Amino acid sequence: MLKVAVIGAGVSGLSVASLLAAAGHKVSVFEKNQKIREIGAGIQISPNGFCVLKELGLSENIFKNSVHNNSILICDYHKGKKLLQFDQRSVLGNKDFRLMHRADLVKILYRSALSNKVTFNLGYDADAKSLSNQYSFVIAADGVHSKTRALLNPIKRKNRRSDYFAWRSIVPNKIKHHNGVRLTVAPNKHVVSYPIRGRDQLNLVLIQEAENNEIFEWGMTERPEEIKRLFSGFGGDLKEALDSIETAHKWGLSSHEVPVNWATGNVFLIGDALHPMLPFLAQGANSALEDAFVLAKLITLLDPSEAADKYHEIRKPRLSRLMKQIKNNAWKFHLEHSFFRACTHSGLRFLDKSFPQSASLPFRWLYNYDVTKLNI
Ligand SMILES: Cc1cc2nc3c(=O)[nH]c(=O)nc-3n(C[C@H](O)[C@H](O)[C@H](O)COP(=O)(O)OP(=O)(O)OC[C@H]3O[C@@H](n4cnc5c(N)ncnc54)[C@H](O)[C@@H]3O)c2cc1C
């Protein structure tokens, strides 16, 4: 039986803690907040993340608290007209792609950890170095501003500002939003919308390129009038949804090259601490779940240095490919030049009429991956 310390009680910390405790290890989670913060807004759980939740025995609970994503719809912002819609079920089989509130996911993972006898130390600002003397392994799931990443990678300490801002809001679902993810694209900005919580609520993520003066915290609020001003060009029924925003959180997005050192001694990085990413493929939580599964297996089977090598070998190629695809999406979503926009939109309309399912091709490697079936 290993004695493991986990720093951070977000999606990665809670999932790795649960997986390890379920395998019989003694796990303590250290969280700097006084409470497990069941906050946030919508989160997409794609099949590659869902299979880890299934492994934890949480499928039923996730189903109850989420909406099935039946298709992806891409629209132009001006009048909200459809450019392309594709159903992913034909390529993903019956695999589940769920849309839910982050707070509900965190609550489910927290309960799972408690039932697996994980112990929690709340209000504890943990330091990986001192914990590493007391535990067989320390897993740093301390998020986008990870102190541990900086400790393990002293040269590239800082997050890279991305000059993107995200606003997140949840409004009553009064428009006829389909049961899936809608991406509405505009020059320099886009909106992602999807229903959550029994389809009663509509999750809105609004992203715009803008100079970011190092504002990276969750929890800042924005005046609804400011959002309406910034996104005033959006028409169709999305305008109605944007007009109904009463509260919104503003979030400066940051990203980071995947650092050189993923582990030192018995200290390992995981989730956003290892690879903060822009949300253009909604993979932050899903990648965190994949990391959690791989790392929980490896530290059970191997000594720290072998586990570190294998962790890097398994996760690096996939994370690098993901980061590359995210970068590509960033400019495609925000095409500014009217000529390029017109050409791209004609291409999407043509695809919609001729062979819409082919639009899912670039995502198959991502969603059809089942980390729980890896031969570790
Ligand atoms: C408050 C919040 C709200 C979010 N809302 C959304 C959302 O609505 N939609 C979405 O798609 N994504 C959201 N995200 C991001 C998403 O949850 C993550 O990208 C993804 O789930 C990976 O999670 P993580 O566990 O690696 O990191 P995080 O979710 O960031 O969790 C890190 C945890 O570590 C704790 N921590 C940090 N330093 C220390 C320390 N020194 N000692 C102890 N504890 C420490 C933090 O308090 C935090 O609880 C949110 C993140 C946060 C923190």
Side-chain angles (χ1 to χ4, degrees):
M1 187 175 75
L2 298 169
K3 213 177 135 205
V4 184
V6 175
I7 306 179
V11 173
S12 23
L14 291 171
S15 51
V16 79
S18 250
L19 285 159
L20 283 165
H25 303 296
K26 190 169 163 26
V27 186
S28 305
V29 173
F30 296 84
E31 167 55 52
K32 71 175 175 189
N33 290 307
Q34 297 289 348
K35 276 171 69 177
I36 302 296
R37 291 198 303 172
E38 292 161 5
I39 57 170
I43 204 159
Q44 299 182 35
I45 298 297
S46 48
N48 52 310
F50 185 83
C51 57
V52 178
L53 297 168
K54 191 171 165 197
E55 191 71 15
L56 277 166
L58 302 174
S59 312
E60 283 274 304
N61 219 340
I62 298 288
F63 286 149
K64 264 195 248 153
N65 288 281
S66 62
V67 171
H68 179 63
N69 174 20
N70 71 10
S71 63
I72 309 265
L73 170 65
I74 305 177
C75 296
D76 181 46
Y77 76 108
H78 187 46
K79 290 183 178 158
K81 286 216 169 121
K82 173 172 104 166
L83 298 169
L84 168 69
Q85 185 162 19
F86 58 99
D87 181 346
Q88 288 162 313
R89 275 170 301 188
S90 56
V91 269
L92 299 176
N94 275 330
K95 288 189 185 154
D96 271 289
F97 198 138
R98 312 296 303 186
L99 308 171
M100 63 192 301
H101 199 296
R102 181 183 179 273
D104 297 335
L105 177 62
V106 166
K107 194 193 282 176
I108 292 170
L109 286 169
Y110 181 43
R111 286 192 182 149
S112 158
L114 287 176
S115 70
N116 282 314
K117 308 229 171 355
V118 171
T119 54
F120 283 85
N121 305 275
L122 302 177
Y124 193 114
D125 193 340
D127 168 51
K129 214 170 176 181
S130 56
L131 289 175
S132 69
N133 299 321
Q134 304 159 45
Y135 289 83
S136 339
F137 284 93
V138 177
I139 300 180
D142 47 350
V144 68
H145 304 302
S146 171
K147 270 196 315 203
T148 322
R149 183 181 58 228
L151 180 77
L152 268 51
N153 297 274
I155 296 170
K156 283 198 169 175
R157 296 175 68 87
K158 282 186 100 184
N159 281 329
R160 205 183 48 217
R161 51 183 253 186
S162 70
D163 283 343
Y164 288 106
F165 269 105
W167 292 263
R168 290 180 201 252
S169 184
I170 294 178
V171 297
N173 186 10
K174 289 199 179 135
I175 62 172
K176 285 201 177 77
H177 199 285
H178 80 293
N179 288 336
V181 176
R182 187 197 294 186
L183 165 68
T184 306
V185 289
N188 294 329
K189 54 187 92 168
H190 73 271
V191 174
V192 175
S193 50
Y194 51 87
I196 54 171
R197 290 188 162 158
R199 304 186 188 92
D200 295 336
Q201 298 177 344
L202 192 64
N203 181 64
L204 298 170
V205 186
L206 296 81
I207 292 185
Q208 152 149 317
E209 291 171 32
E211 198 174 326
N212 177 353
N213 296 317
E214 314 271 321
I215 302 169
F216 294 133
E217 288 304 327
W218 176 264
M220 278 181 56
T221 50
E222 178 69 280
R223 289 179 309 119
E225 303 78 53
E226 181 59 7
I227 296 182
K228 282 165 207 166
R229 185 186 71 75
L230 290 168
F231 290 81
S232 61
F234 284 64
D237 60 358
L238 191 60
K239 180 173 167 35
E240 202 184 310
L242 296 178
D243 283 347
S244 67
I245 291 178
E246 285 181 1
T247 51
H249 288 276
K250 181 180 182 179
W251 204 0
L253 300 177
S254 58
S255 71
H256 203 286
E257 302 297 336
V258 178
V260 177
N261 292 326
W262 297 32
T264 297
N266 62 350
V267 179
F268 286 71
L269 297 170
I270 185 177
D272 277 5
L274 177 63
H275 45 65
M277 54 182 80
L278 295 172
F280 296 152
L281 271 172
Q283 284 296 305
N286 296 296
S287 296
L289 288 164
E290 289 181 9
D291 291 344
F293 184 84
V294 173
L295 195 56
K297 275 265 175 250
L298 291 175
I299 66 170
T300 303
L301 298 171
L302 304 171
D303 69 34
S305 98
E306 286 171 330
D309 290 348
K310 197 85 186 150
Y311 184 41
H312 197 265
E313 183 191 314
I314 295 176
R315 298 297 295 144
K316 179 75 198 287
R318 186 163 164 83
L319 285 167
S320 302
R321 187 170 179 185
L322 177 60
M323 295 296 194
K324 211 164 147 195
Q325 198 158 331
I326 288 173
K327 238 184 208 168
N328 278 342
N329 277 4
W331 72 265
K332 272 192 220 151
F333 284 3
H334 291 180
L335 280 176
E336 204 174 353
H337 196 287
S338 54
F339 173 73
F340 293 122
R341 275 177 66 75
C343 293
T344 309
H345 289 191
S346 317
L348 290 175
R349 280 192 208 96
F350 173 75
L351 206 59
D352 187 58
K353 290 202 178 78
S354 53
F355 190 39
Q357 290 319 108
S358 65
S360 64
L361 277 172
F363 304 104
R364 288 186 198 182
W365 72 273
L366 183 59
Y367 298 152
N368 279 343
Y369 177 85
D370 185 343
V371 73
T372 67
K373 300 271 178 328
L374 282 188
N375 191 9
I376 296 177

